[in-house]
Amino acid sequence: MTEYDYWNIFPRMPRRAVVGDITIRDGFQHEERFISTEAKVFYAQEMILAGAKDIEITNLGNPQNMPQFKDAEQVFRAMRSEAFRQRCAKAGVRYEDITMTAVTIRESAVDTAIALKQQGIGPDRILMMVSTDPEHHYANSGATLSQYWREAERCIGKARDAGIKTCGTVSTIWGSPISGATRLEDAVEFTRRFFSIGAHDVEHADHDGSANAADVYRYFSLVLDAMPQPDAHLCHLHETKRIASASVLAALQAGICRFEATLGGLGGQPANFLDGCPVRGTGEYYYKDPRYVGLICMEDLLVQLDELGIGTGYDIGRVLWLGEKMEKTIGRRLRSEAVINGRTEKSGNPQFARPGLKRLVAESGEPPGQAFPGDWPAAPVLPEPWGPAAWAKEH
């Protein structure tokens, strides 16, 4: 007999998930217009008040390369302010439970994070990144893989001494926009290496939408077989072909319980243009049309998890409201379907009912709730071609 209980079919599938918000970092890095410091602070604080516990605040790299984050210190000061702490307390949000992350690809950025931490405004967690494709890794970091591993080991140690956790990102798991196909087994080995040099957790990243559901399930099954601590693994997916929601489900089925997303599905490769001026970014865009890329959409992901019965702790209505506001901030229609169509209404929409059904039932003498004619048999008899016995005989 078929097993109908989804969680029996996929026993690793979680009942609760942690969804980190990376809108104001990964989402905004792809925008070709500077997003105001006030807007960054607004969305970061509001997402925390809506339920985000893990949030990326900024990139602490050289602002000449990514000037979108030239206000990094100002944003951190606002997030560490007494005024925001009081807002959290008033809203019943434990400020101490929030993890604020800064991206620090190279050692100079790690040093900046430590300096900010010493001022009392720095990150709780930093992020360093390797790609299993050496070409993609070099495009992002300017270093060979071997050189970078040495640097990461050194940085993880001194960050730990400063009271900062390090997340190690492994990228190009399901393919590279530069070199093409990659091996899943390489990414599993890179994950082991990050943990071996002291990483607190690992972000498993698809940075160009190469992932598909079958390979996502296989990869995370390999990872959790080798390192069976679901809380230590984080799924980071991009959306370029409208298939990422299938990959989210596959990751859940494999046992992953941590994800990242952005409001409106914003994000992508760092912009190489800002406010009318070319900037370095990470070079030429990988995409034919950079408007149609981004991360998995926060609003849609939360609705997907909610309708699967997987708790997240978010006030989803408040997040949908923020998604509407984000479209005004960015100045264009974004990619959330849930912002437009909302959640499935379990109580229905009686305002759309055609009047007169109750009267017609009463006039027909039918008991309320009758679905079939009263003289039909209690159970239908299936014609031979449709019965399971006939199908089993043919197959």
Side-chain angles (χ1 to χ4, degrees):
M1 287 292 292
T2 300
E3 172 60 68
Y4 298 122
D5 189 313
Y6 211 62
W7 275 263
N8 286 339
I9 301 169
F10 300 103
R12 284 177 169 173
M13 189 163 169
R15 295 284 185 172
R16 289 193 63 81
V18 175
V19 180
D21 176 49
I22 57 175
T23 304
I24 68 166
R25 198 284 300 175
D26 208 333
F28 288 169
Q29 76 173 15
H30 190 60
E31 292 303 303
E32 294 185 342
R33 177 176 62 84
F34 183 75
I35 308 299
S36 73
T37 305
E38 292 78 10
K40 290 169 184 165
V41 171
F42 171 82
Y43 285 107
Q45 294 187 351
E46 287 296 323
M47 282 300 291
I48 288 171
L49 295 174
K53 294 291 190 293
D54 296 339
I55 187 163
E56 276 187 12
I57 300 300
T58 192
N59 188 320
L60 292 176
N62 187 342
Q64 288 187 337
N65 297 336
M66 283 190 282
Q68 184 66 256
F69 305 113
K70 62 187 178 184
D71 57 357
E73 183 173 335
Q74 296 165 268
V75 174
F76 259 119
R77 286 193 182 279
M79 298 304 295
R80 295 300 188 191
S81 68
E82 184 59 30
F84 181 54
R85 292 171 191 266
Q86 290 177 4
R87 281 191 73 197
C88 288
K90 187 175 181 181
V93 173
R94 279 176 49 86
Y95 186 85
E96 299 76 16
D97 293 342
I98 302 163
T99 298
M100 299 188 194
T101 298
V103 171
T104 55
I105 300 298
R106 298 306 302 267
E107 189 164 6
S108 59
V110 175
D111 292 339
T112 299
I114 292 171
L116 292 175
K117 185 75 171 180
Q118 290 168 347
Q119 296 177 46
I121 61 170
D124 306 298
R125 176 173 169 266
I126 58 172
L127 184 147
M128 301 191 75
M129 189 185 82
V130 296
S131 301
T132 59
D133 170 26
E135 291 289 350
H136 187 267
H137 178 80
Y138 177 71
N140 279 338
S141 69
T144 70
L145 278 166
S146 181
Q147 290 168 345
Y148 192 84
W149 280 117
R150 288 288 189 192
E151 183 175 326
E153 181 179 33
R154 186 168 61 249
C155 289
I156 290 171
K158 62 182 177 180
R160 182 177 57 244
D161 291 343
I164 301 173
K165 297 174 182 177
T166 301
C167 174
T169 292
V170 178
S171 184
T172 61
I173 295 170
W174 295 277
S176 165
I178 298 175
S179 300
T182 54
R183 296 177 68 252
L184 300 183
E185 293 78 7
D186 291 342
V188 176
E189 179 63 16
F190 277 39
T191 301
R192 287 194 185 95
R193 294 288 181 175
F194 256 132
F195 284 127
S196 74
I197 61 173
H200 175 262
D201 54 357
V202 169
E203 174 192 79
H204 304 268
D206 167 30
H207 276 139
D208 69 339
S210 296
N212 65 74
D215 285 339
V216 167
Y217 180 81
R218 177 169 174 255
Y219 173 71
F220 281 121
S221 296
L222 289 169
V223 165
L224 289 173
D225 283 348
M227 293 155 279
Q229 298 84 15
D231 289 344
H233 302 285
L234 175 60
C235 178
H236 176 109
L237 297 170
H238 278 233
E239 179 72 272
T240 56
K241 299 183 289 287
R242 285 293 191 191
I243 62 172
S245 61
S247 294
V248 168
L249 181 59
L252 289 164
Q253 291 167 343
I256 293 299
C257 61
R258 294 179 63 197
F259 297 85
E260 291 180 328
T262 60
L263 288 170
L266 288 167
Q269 187 178 355
N272 58 25
F273 222 79
L274 192 74
D275 288 343
C277 180
V279 297
R280 180 178 174 183
T282 54
E284 293 300 312
Y285 294 142
Y286 305 140
Y287 318 103
K288 291 180 179 178
D289 190 331
R291 294 174 298 173
Y292 294 94
V293 299
L295 280 86
I296 52 175
C297 180
M298 173 66 76
E299 303 94 314
D300 297 1
L301 174 63
L302 292 179
V303 169
Q304 178 181 2
L305 294 172
D306 180 60
E307 298 196 0
L308 283 168
I310 297 173
T312 62
Y314 275 90
D315 179 339
I316 298 177
R318 188 167 185 169
V319 174
L320 294 179
W321 178 82
L322 287 168
E324 291 178 6
K325 301 307 172 191
M326 182 60 78
E327 294 198 343
K328 291 187 176 184
T329 295
I330 299 301
R332 65 178 185 274
R333 171 77 176 95
L334 301 180
R335 299 194 299 171
S336 170
E337 305 297 338
V339 161
I340 302 299
N341 293 315
R343 304 158 72 181
T344 301
E345 292 290 343
K346 302 296 192 295
S347 59
N349 295 281
Q351 70 271 25
F352 300 138
R354 178 179 172 181
L357 177 60
K358 289 182 179 179
R359 179 175 53 79
L360 180 59
V361 167
E363 290 174 354
S364 301
E366 296 181 6
Q370 179 174 316
F372 307 105
D375 57 351
W376 281 21
V381 178
L382 294 174
E384 183 61 26
W386 304 109
W391 189 93
K393 184 178 180 181
E394 288 185 18
H395 296 80

